[in-house]
Amino acid sequence: MASSAREGAYHRLEDARFWAAPKLDHAAHSVEDQLAPRLSMLLAQAARRVDPTPMKAKSRSWPTMILFAGLAVGAAGFVMYRRNAQHWAEVMKSSADEAKSKAGETAESMGSMGEKLNKRTDEVPGKKP
């Protein structure tokens, strides 16, 4: 009876091993494919945090260069605006002076025309003075 119990236990243990071997192999591959990379990443981050050597600072030259380029373009635009505004003011002043002189000439010519008109109306026959 003891030998048959031992035989039965041996077969059950062997069956359990046949069942467990693929399960353990699958678990090993799952740990290797899924858990190990995550665990490795966590350990690497912890090592970087603990490491006393300073990390290389990120380059801040590009944003600074863009900022200065923007300031330069803005300054150039402001100078061009001011120059254009001064030129426009000069043009308007000269056109206003020209308009005044034309108005003066027109008024003078109208005045001389008025005298000529008065002279002609005086010469109209049949007009009583």
Side-chain angles (χ1 to χ4, degrees):
M1 193 161 186
S3 94
S4 70
R6 189 175 63 123
E7 242 349 270
Y10 178 76
H11 285 296
R12 286 191 176 200
L13 185 61
E14 196 172 280
D15 289 342
R17 288 176 67 190
F18 279 120
W19 176 84
K23 301 287 184 191
L24 289 173
D25 189 47
H26 178 61
H29 287 294
S30 295
V31 166
E32 184 180 355
D33 294 339
Q34 297 173 1
L35 187 63
R38 292 180 189 165
L39 186 60
S40 174
M41 182 180 63
L42 288 173
L43 290 173
Q45 286 177 351
R48 280 194 296 271
R49 289 181 186 160
V50 173
D51 192 13
T53 58
M55 295 178 71
K56 184 178 175 182
K58 291 183 179 179
S59 176
R60 299 188 192 271
S61 62
W62 282 105
T64 305
M65 287 177 24
I66 291 172
L67 175 68
F68 284 129
L71 288 174
V73 168
F78 180 74
V79 168
M80 291 171 63
Y81 170 76
R82 294 293 292 178
R83 187 181 318 148
N84 191 22
Q86 288 174 351
H87 176 69
W88 183 76
E90 290 171 4
V91 167
M92 291 304 288
K93 186 177 179 182
S94 66
S95 64
D97 290 341
E98 288 176 12
K100 283 181 185 177
S101 65
K102 287 273 188 183
E105 290 173 6
T106 305
E108 287 177 11
S109 67
M110 290 299 246
S112 65
M113 287 178 93
E115 290 174 9
K116 288 180 185 176
L117 188 58
N118 283 339
K119 215 186 244 188
R120 286 187 182 171
T121 56
D122 288 342
E123 297 172 359
V124 173
K127 180 184 173 196
K128 296 181 185 176

